[in-house]
C-alpha cells in the first residue's frame, strides 16, 4: 500500500500531534483518486493523507484550510454494511470567503446546484455537486456557540 502524508515541519520525527475530536463526514467514490483531485485541485481541500493500493483508495483525509476535514475511500460493494453509495452524501463547509469560492468554482466549471444567496439565518451560501454526485454546500454560517462557550 502506498502512503502519501503531509506533516507539520515543526513536528519532531516520529511524533504524532493529536487533533481535537471532530465530526468527520465520510464519502465513498467509484473513482476516489479523481474525486480527491477534484476536491483538492478545484474546490480547495488540502491533501493530508492518502493510503492507496493501486487505483483503490483505502483511506484519504482531506482538510479544509479554514478548519475541519473529510475522509473518503474507494467504494467496495462487498464491504462494511452501512456504507453509503457513492453520490449519496453531502456536507456543509464553513468559509469566510464564500463569494470568492463561488466565483472560482463557477469559473472552473463546477456544477452549481444551488445559487449563491443570503439566508434568513444570516448565512450566505451556495452548493455544488461533485463528479460522483455528492452535494457540497458552502456558507458563512459557523454554527451557534456551544452551551457555556458564549
Amino acid at each position: 500500500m502506498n502512503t502519501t502524508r503531509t506533516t507539520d515541519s515543526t513536528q519532531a520525527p516520529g511524533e504524532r500531534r493529536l487533533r481535537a475530536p471532530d465530526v468527520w463526514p465520510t464519502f465513498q467514490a467509484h473513482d476516489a483518486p479523481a474525486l480527491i483531485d477534484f476536491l483538492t485541485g478545484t474546490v480547495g481541500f488540502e491533501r493530508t493523507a492518502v493510503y492507496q493500493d493501486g487505483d483503490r483508495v483505502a483511506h484519504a483525509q482531506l482538510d479544509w484550510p479554514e478548519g475541519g476535514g473529510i475522509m473518503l475511500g474507494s467504494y467496495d460493494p462487498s464491504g462494511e454494511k452501512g456504507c453509503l453509495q457513492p453520490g449519496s452524501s453531502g456536507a456543509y463547509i464553513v468559509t469566510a470567503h464564500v463569494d470568492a469560492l463561488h466565483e472560482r468554482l463557477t469559473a472552473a466549471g463546477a456544477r452549481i446546484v444551488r445559487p449563491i444567496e443570503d439566508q434568513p439565518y444570516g448565512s450566505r451560501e451556495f452548493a455544488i455537486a461533485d463528479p460522483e454526485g455528492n452535494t457540497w454546500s458552502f456558507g458563512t454560517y459557523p454554527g451557534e456557540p456551544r452551551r457555556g462557550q458564549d
Side-chain angles (χ1 to χ4, degrees):
M1 184 178 302
N2 296 326
T3 303
T4 303
R5 177 178 286 274
T6 304
T7 58
D8 183 338
S9 61
T10 62
Q11 193 172 328
E15 177 186 350
R16 185 166 185 175
R17 184 170 296 162
L18 298 178
R19 297 173 63 125
D22 287 320
V23 175
W24 289 85
T26 60
F27 298 82
Q28 290 200 352
H30 290 294
D31 188 347
L35 183 57
I36 291 167
D37 288 345
F38 173 79
L39 293 172
T40 57
T42 303
V43 177
F45 278 89
E46 297 170 348
R47 181 184 174 125
T48 303
V50 176
Y51 299 92
Q52 255 179 282
D53 188 7
D55 288 340
R56 296 201 47 79
V57 174
H59 168 76
Q61 176 185 328
L62 306 181
D63 289 329
W64 186 244
E66 295 174 75
I70 64 161
M71 295 183 189
L72 69 94
S74 295
Y75 177 62
D76 180 358
S78 67
E80 288 184 39
K81 292 182 180 177
C83 290
L84 296 174
Q85 292 281 332
S88 64
S89 296
Y92 178 83
I93 296 91
V94 178
T95 179
H97 313 287
V98 71
D99 287 292
L101 181 61
H102 180 266
E103 288 176 23
R104 186 168 54 77
L105 292 175
T106 300
R111 185 164 57 106
I112 306 294
V113 296
R114 192 175 74 228
I116 193 164
E117 61 185 352
D118 295 323
Q119 300 298 321
Y121 45 87
S123 185
R124 184 159 174 78
E125 300 173 352
F126 73 96
I128 66 167
D130 68 29
E132 296 269 339
N134 299 300
T135 302
W136 299 85
S137 298
F138 300 90
T140 58
Y141 180 70
E144 297 300 322
R146 292 176 187 238
R147 290 183 185 163
Q149 292 184 353
D150 46 351

